[in-house]
Amino acid sequence: MMNKVDPTQSTPPVVVVVDASTHNESEKSNRDFSPDIEQDKTLALKMQYVNNAIDEIGFTSYQLKLFFLNGFGYAVDSLLILLNALTQPQVALQYKPSISKAQTMALGVGLLFGALFWGAGADVIGRKYAFNITLFWCAIFATIAGASPNYIAVCVFIALLAFGGGGNLILDTAVYLEFLPGKYQWSLTFMAAWWGVGQMVAGLVAWPFL
């Protein structure tokens, strides 16, 4: 025999406990990583329209030209870094410095400050101008470094050419990626092939002299 339920009898209330920290974390994850863009609706719409237009146009000969152009810059950066390593023993034999690794240290310092300066400066003057300036900068100071009269001058000009190389290194991939349709962004990984091209050219040019 089934027991009858008294409808007048109140059932105990169900208490639902919500973890505030979990709620806040999920809310944060749904936010845009850039609050400035999220607040500026006009900028967000412009970016969306540009990205949609690039996706609609697709991968064209323009992106192919950018791949070779920025790849050339990538190869130059690789070439300069390897040339520094190849010439360091010969420079040390000629000038006999007290700190034999100063040339490598100068290269690292130049790359660091170049990446910081041109990474921010490119947004001010434009990536096109920054890209051209950094490559020209590398060409000028690499030539001067080859005619340095002493070890201090070598390190100074190595740091200066690395200042341009560090900036160009971050601009190569940024400029190429900026104009890529979303479904072709995987092609950015092929930019690494240009790094090998630069080192191959540096090795072939330096081999007869070493």
Side-chain angles (χ1 to χ4, degrees), residues 9-112:
Q9 185 178 1
S10 60
T11 58
V14 178
V15 179
V16 179
V17 179
V18 178
D19 189 353
S21 61
T22 305
H23 177 70
N24 292 335
E25 289 178 1
S26 62
E27 185 177 335
K28 289 179 181 178
S29 63
N30 293 329
R31 293 179 183 173
D32 195 290
F33 285 101
S34 178
D36 295 333
I37 295 178
E38 188 176 351
Q39 293 175 6
D40 191 345
K41 300 299 182 182
T42 304
L43 177 60
L45 286 174
K46 288 180 179 179
M47 294 174 62
Q48 183 179 357
Y49 290 149
V50 171
N51 290 332
N52 290 342
I54 292 176
D55 289 338
E56 186 175 349
I57 293 171
F59 193 92
T60 65
S61 59
Y62 178 76
Q63 280 81 11
L64 187 61
K65 292 176 183 177
L66 276 181
F67 177 76
F68 282 95
L69 176 65
N70 292 280
F72 174 77
Y74 216 58
V76 169
D77 301 328
S78 172
L79 181 146
L80 292 175
I81 293 174
L82 184 61
L83 279 182
N84 178 74
L86 292 173
T87 57
Q88 182 177 341
Q90 304 301 321
V91 172
L93 286 174
Q94 180 175 350
Y95 295 114
K96 297 179 175 56
S98 57
I99 305 176
S100 59
K101 300 298 182 181
Q103 186 176 339
T104 302
M105 294 168 60
L107 179 75
V109 170
L111 289 173
L112 173 62

Side-chain angles (χ1 to χ4, degrees), residues 152-173:
I152 295 177
V154 170
C155 293
V156 169
F157 291 122
I158 287 291
L160 287 173
L161 75 86
F163 180 78
N168 185 261
L169 186 61
I170 61 173
L171 289 171
D172 295 327
T173 53

Side-chain angles (χ1 to χ4, degrees), residues 155-207:
C155 293
V156 169
F157 291 122
I158 287 291
L160 287 173
L161 75 86
F163 180 78
N168 185 261
L169 186 61
I170 61 173
L171 289 171
D172 295 327
T173 53
V175 172
Y176 180 60
L177 183 62
E178 196 171 35
F179 293 95
L180 270 181
K183 63 179 180 179
Y184 291 101
Q185 290 182 354
W186 54 266
S187 64
L188 182 67
T189 58
F190 286 96
M191 288 286 289
W194 288 100
W195 192 266
V197 171
Q199 299 215 351
M200 180 185 68
V201 172
L204 291 176
V205 171
W207 178 67

